[in-house]
Every structure is written in structure tokens, then in C-alpha cells.
Amino acid sequence: KNDVEYAGLVKFDFLGLRTLTIIDWALQSINGNKKPGDEGFVDIARIPLVDKPTFDLIQTGKTTGLFQLESSGMQSLIVKLRPDCFEDIIALVALFRPGPLESGMVDNFIARKHGREKVSYPDAQWQHESLKETLAPTYGVILYQEQVMQIAQILAGYTLGGADMLRRAMGKKKPEEMAKQRSIFKDGAISIGVDGELAMKIFDLVEKFAGYGFNKSHSAAYALVSYQSAWLKTHYPAEFMAAQISSDMDNTEKVVHMVNECYAMNLSVLQPNINTGQIHFKPYGERTVNYGLGGIKGVGEAALEGVIEEREKNGAYTDLFDFCLRAGKKANKRVIEALVRSGAFDELHDNRNALLQSIPMALKQAEQQHKNDEVGQNDLFGEMLSVEESGETQLLDVPEMPQKLRLAGEKETLGLYITGHPIDLYQEELTALVPNKLSSLRPEKWKKISAAGLVVELRNKTTKSGSRMGFMSLDDKTARLEVVMRPAVYEAIKDHIKTDMVVMVYGEVSEDTFN
């Protein structure tokens, strides 16, 4: 960078933002074949920046999937700030950094926005009316580098070039340079009729916050992308979430996280389907997402492209044998097994065990059929029937696998359960033992209750004393519960508990005040 600048050139950083792709994919689904000017066509560059439903969504802190706004710390800040205008979104991006968070300016910003602290420009003791226009969007808090430059320009007569030099000097905190700038600032202020002492007090405040200052143009550009993603999630949830999941299809953990977010948004997620699925997740109506076949572990995009191309060219697959005959060269045994275990063949036949056991036979028959076709004859005597005509396209007559194994296959290929839940297997016993569904639990001090669920996540951390405490997330289909295990409890059970077990817990319910 320095060498390039010394040579008189300008360095540019080009960021590859995944969110721009997500927005583009969502718009493709929304607009379809519509053209600009058609009814219902969405031009993302022209959406209103004052959309109340969008700000209502952001204020809840339920910002999973929204650019720059989805970390737990940011969600906590959003709930405290309650942004209700685009300027607040710009400020959020600039505020959520270590410097502002540690300096106390975030707390000042929030208190001023909500009237708990008087707005002054920039300080109750040392302020100047001429700075009001510059500092009003941030409630008098010096948050942006541009504000540092504008204050120098307005209060001390700096040129914008000189103000930029001041900004850089303040950021680098060079004592000799700062002494020189103090003198220039004071003389400039006096020359345009500003009190010298007031000018120096404001200079000190500017210097204090200049080190934390963020480039507003950068923050505004990010905030616009954040707002656009929030607007799409608000008004076109299925299209947005389908695009969001598709962008992370190669990361099963993120797919699971986003599918769970769909459920939290009351969106339905259809199971994979070999006859309706595309590679990517797609919206299906207003409140439903169709599972992307590319989200199945062990199924590559190259194989799927051939499978889908054949389906679109020659119609839906009718059974396993038809699939192997038409797509067997594109999808090998391992791919077909993954598709079956994920539930993608359920529409054709609901006995997954019969499908799995019949794959070798179906592939063998398909191979024989292709050989016959290649030599242009059915057999040596020209009388052997084709596979379809011979009727030898029956699945093996075997019983369906236990529900537990069906669900285990889904978990292995999808990372989640989609057609059922392991807790269903224990419902009768649990109803007698645990009266409370997780969704019905409410914080109640000093009262201990029992609950149950499937362990979907296990982790631990070392305390300051060196002992380890554990955490697990339970799921019973109705909600999720975070369980905290103190060191003594964790040590006693850590070797006996693992994910995908159904467990009962007994304890006090409280609210997670962090997020």
C-alpha cells in the first residue's frame, strides 16, 4: 500500500461480499420473468429506506442472516439501540467495534437516542451551535472520520485537505504532529471568531474520539446492504431464506442453522424430492422453501446437473429403476444411496430400506439395458424383452427399516431431521414423566421443574478456577432449551452423554440475559 501510494497511485480494496449474491438470487426468484416496470417487479436500488416493517424486524434482534447484523453481540446492541431510521443502521455498523464498545461512546449514543442523556454538540460543557448539523445524525457523538474533518472545517477554517491531514494525525497519535495541529486549530478558530479556550476543549474531545472514528461512507455502504437484506427478509422471507441457505450449501452446519431460522420464522421447509428439487434451495409459494438437492451430503453438483437436466428434458422419474436407467451414468451408487437416505425418493416409494437394497440390482439392469441398446439388439436371438417390458423392475421385498434408522439417515445426509424427530419414539413415556413441553417453559425464580429433549449440541468451557462446566442444547420439536451444567454435575455425567440422545433434566428456568 505505502509503496503504491508513494508512486502516486491509488490502492483499492475490492471485497467479495456473499450477501450481494444472496440478494441477486432472491431477486431472481421474486422477479422471475418480470421486467422493470411490470407490476410486482422489485428494483432493490429503489426500495424505500423508511419501511416500518423492516425496522420492526430489525428492532426485535432476530437478525439471523442479515449482513453485519447477525452476531449475538450485535443482536444485543440492536435490542438496546432500537434503530428506527437508516442513519441508525449506519451508526450500528460503526459502533460495533472494540474501540467504541470499550470507550463508553456506545452507551452515550444509546442514552442520547432514548432521551436518558441530553444531546449536546459535542459535550454539555463544551459545545458550539455551528456543529449541530454535523453531529445531529449521531445525537452529538463524534462517531465518523468525516465528522472530525467537518468540525475542523467549520470551527477552525481548515480546508478539506488540511482536515484530512488532521484526521490522519489524530489517528496515528504522533505528539509532535498533534502539537502543531493544536496550534493551527486554535489560530484558525480565533480567526473566524470562535473562543480559543472553547476551541481547544472541543479539539480535545475530537482527539479523544478520532482514534475510534469510522469512515462513514464505508459504514453507509455496508448499512445499505444490511438494510436491503432486512427488507427482503421482511417482505419476501421464502425467497430470501432460500437464497441465504443456498449460499452456504457446502457447510452443513450453516444449512442446519438457517433451516432452523426458517422454522423460527414460521416458514415450512419441504423434504428433498428427486422430482421437484433443484440444486439450490428454492421458494415454493409465499411461506415455503423447497430443499435444495445440493444440500445433501455426498451428492455433488456435477451429478445433480445431469440428473436434473434429464428430468427436465424427458419428464419426472417414475421409480428407482427408471431413475437408474435414465440417470445411472450421472449418479453412481454412493450418490443414489445418499439421495434415498435423505428422503429424496420418498415420493416414488416410501420403503427406504427396499430402495437401498435394490440399488445394485437396478444399476445392473440399467447397465445391461444400455449395453443392449448400444449393440442394437435385445439378445443373441433378438427375443429377450427390455427391462421395462420384462417386468423385472420390482423392488426387493424387505421390511422398512426402524424409524430410528430412517431418521439417522436424514441426520447423516442433511445434518438435521426433516420427516420426524427421535423424541417421537419416546413420546408415551415422556408424557408420563415430563408434563412440560419446552415451548411452555417460563422463567420462575426458585422453582425447579423437569423437562426433556434431544441433545442437539454439547460443549464445555474451563472456568477461572480451572474446572470445567458444560452446556447442552435440547430440542423437543416445540422449542430449544440451553442447559447449563455446573462443574460437579458436568464431571459426573460427561462420559455418559452425547448428541442425539434423549435426556431428562431437572432445574430452574431463567432467561438468557445476554441475548
Side-chain angles (χ1 to χ4, degrees):
K1 162 181 137 13
N2 294 338
D3 291 343
V4 166
E5 288 186 351
Y6 183 75
L9 301 174
V10 180
K11 176 184 76 81
F12 287 89
D13 286 352
F14 290 95
L15 305 183
L17 299 186
R18 179 194 299 267
T19 308
L20 297 180
T21 298
I22 293 168
I23 290 171
D24 186 52
W25 285 349
L27 291 172
Q28 286 177 29
S29 295
I30 295 163
N31 291 331
N33 296 321
K34 293 193 281 283
K35 300 187 294 295
D38 291 351
E39 186 180 350
F41 181 87
V42 173
D43 181 350
I44 200 68
R46 294 179 180 273
I47 61 173
L49 298 181
V50 290
D51 184 63
K52 187 176 183 300
T54 299
F55 285 106
D56 288 344
L57 169 73
I58 294 170
Q59 286 179 6
T60 64
K62 296 176 181 176
T63 51
T64 298
L66 302 188
F67 180 64
Q68 292 283 302
L69 305 181
E70 62 180 331
S71 71
S72 58
M74 176 60 99
Q75 288 176 348
S76 179
L77 175 58
I78 287 168
V79 171
K80 289 176 189 170
L81 179 63
R82 300 198 304 278
D84 56 8
C85 61
F86 185 63
E87 279 285 352
D88 284 352
I89 308 295
I90 300 174
L92 269 173
V93 176
L95 286 168
F96 193 66
R97 295 175 301 116
L101 289 167
E102 290 163 11
S103 70
M105 66 192 289
V106 173
D107 296 328
N108 290 352
F109 190 98
I110 293 169
R112 289 184 179 196
K113 174 172 174 61
H114 296 298
R116 297 191 295 271
E117 181 182 309
K118 188 178 178 184
V119 175
S120 45
Y121 307 102
D123 181 79
Q125 267 187 295
W126 312 103
Q127 57 181 327
H128 198 280
E129 189 63 23
S130 65
L131 302 181
K132 183 174 181 179
E133 187 180 346
T134 296
L135 295 175
T138 53
Y139 311 101
V141 174
I142 302 167
L143 179 58
Y144 306 120
Q145 293 174 353
E146 287 91 338
Q147 288 174 318
V148 170
M149 295 166 65
Q150 286 173 310
I151 289 169
Q153 187 188 23
I154 294 165
L155 208 62
Y158 274 66
T159 64
L160 280 176
D164 191 42
M165 295 300 291
L166 171 67
R167 175 194 65 77
R168 296 172 94 178
M170 284 181 165
K172 291 177 180 174
K173 293 181 169 59
K174 290 183 179 176
E176 65 281 0
E177 181 64 26
M178 285 312 300
K180 181 179 162 187
Q181 289 291 344
R182 285 181 75 85
S183 176
I184 295 171
F185 196 96
K186 185 174 183 179
D187 292 345
I190 292 170
S191 72
I192 58 175
V194 177
D195 179 77
E197 184 186 3
L198 174 64
M200 284 298 90
K201 291 296 183 183
I202 293 178
F203 183 93
D204 291 339
L205 287 167
V206 173
E207 184 180 5
K208 177 184 175 184
F209 292 110
Y212 306 130
F214 196 63
N215 185 264
K216 186 179 182 181
S217 57
H218 181 129
S219 194
Y222 267 24
L224 182 61
V225 177
S226 302
Y227 180 87
Q228 288 173 345
S229 58
W231 187 88
L232 288 168
K233 187 176 181 180
T234 302
H235 296 284
Y236 296 92
E239 289 86 348
F240 177 75
M241 290 307 296
Q244 181 71 243
I245 304 171
S246 296
S247 75
D248 266 320
M249 278 196 317
D250 55 344
N251 186 326
T252 303
E253 194 174 309
K254 287 190 176 178
V255 169
V256 172
H257 180 56
M258 288 301 168
V259 168
N260 285 328
E261 177 65 8
C262 287
Y263 295 147
M265 295 165 61
N266 294 318
L267 295 178
S268 300
V269 180
L270 301 177
Q271 72 181 84
N273 187 317
I274 197 65
N275 273 334
T276 61
Q278 299 293 327
I279 292 176
H280 287 170
F281 288 69
K282 295 289 182 183
Y284 186 79
E286 287 186 14
R287 307 291 308 174
T288 304
V289 173
N290 209 355
Y291 212 98
L293 300 177
I296 302 170
K297 273 197 231 175
V299 179
E301 281 198 26
L304 287 174
E305 282 171 1
V307 167
I308 292 169
E309 184 184 351
E310 166 61 31
R311 184 188 75 199
E312 291 178 349
K313 185 178 176 183
N314 295 311
Y317 298 108
T318 56
D319 57 28
L320 175 68
F321 295 88
D322 179 51
F323 179 87
C324 289
L325 186 64
R326 292 164 53 193
K329 287 184 177 179
K330 303 168 181 81
N332 60 28
K333 179 172 179 281
R334 181 180 57 79
V335 168
I336 302 170
E337 284 176 346
L339 288 166
V340 169
R341 286 202 298 272
S342 75
F345 275 83
D346 284 4
E347 185 189 69
L348 303 182
H349 202 288
D350 62 1
N351 186 330
R352 292 184 196 173
N353 189 35
L355 286 164
L356 288 170
Q357 301 292 337
S358 303
I359 291 171
M361 176 176 70
L363 285 171
K364 188 175 179 183
Q365 289 188 6
E367 185 183 6
Q368 183 60 51
Q369 180 72 45
H370 290 310
K371 282 181 179 175
N372 290 344
D373 291 343
E374 283 169 11
V375 296
Q377 61 183 37
N378 290 325
D379 73 344
L380 286 171
F381 307 99
E383 294 175 355
M384 182 179 168
L385 298 172
S386 70
V387 171
E388 293 99 323
E389 293 167 330
S390 69
E392 293 176 16
T393 58
Q394 296 298 310
L395 295 176
L396 294 173
D397 186 13
V398 294
E400 173 58 308
M401 66 183 75
Q403 177 72 352
K404 192 172 182 179
L405 285 179
R406 271 178 71 106
L407 292 175
E410 289 178 18
K411 183 74 186 289
E412 182 188 340
T413 53
L414 305 177
L416 48 80
Y417 306 107
I418 202 160
T419 64
H421 198 288
I423 204 165
D424 294 337
L425 304 172
Y426 308 99
Q427 206 55 64
E428 194 176 326
E429 296 93 326
L430 287 174
T431 302
L433 292 167
V434 183
N436 306 297
K437 296 285 187 188
L438 295 186
S439 59
S440 69
L441 300 184
R442 296 293 179 269
E444 197 170 341
K445 265 190 176 292
W446 316 123
K447 182 181 178 183
K448 291 196 172 183
I449 57 100
S450 57
L454 183 81
V455 181
V456 292
E457 185 184 1
L458 265 177
R459 62 188 191 282
N460 64 74
K461 75 171 185 180
T462 304
T463 65
K464 290 179 182 176
S465 65
S467 55
R468 281 193 302 165
M469 62 189 298
F471 303 86
M472 64 179 170
S473 292
L474 297 187
D475 187 305
D476 73 344
K477 290 199 305 185
T478 71
R480 286 201 173 186
L481 178 73
E482 182 88 343
V483 180
V484 181
M485 296 167 280
R486 303 296 175 201
V489 174
Y490 181 66
E491 282 301 316
I493 68 161
K494 64 182 173 64
D495 295 330
H496 306 285
I497 201 159
K498 57 183 184 288
T499 53
D500 294 328
M501 287 177 71
V502 175
V503 300
M504 280 178 60
V505 292
Y506 181 70
E508 184 184 318
V509 180
S510 62
E511 197 165 355
D512 180 356
T513 53
F514 178 68
N515 60 9

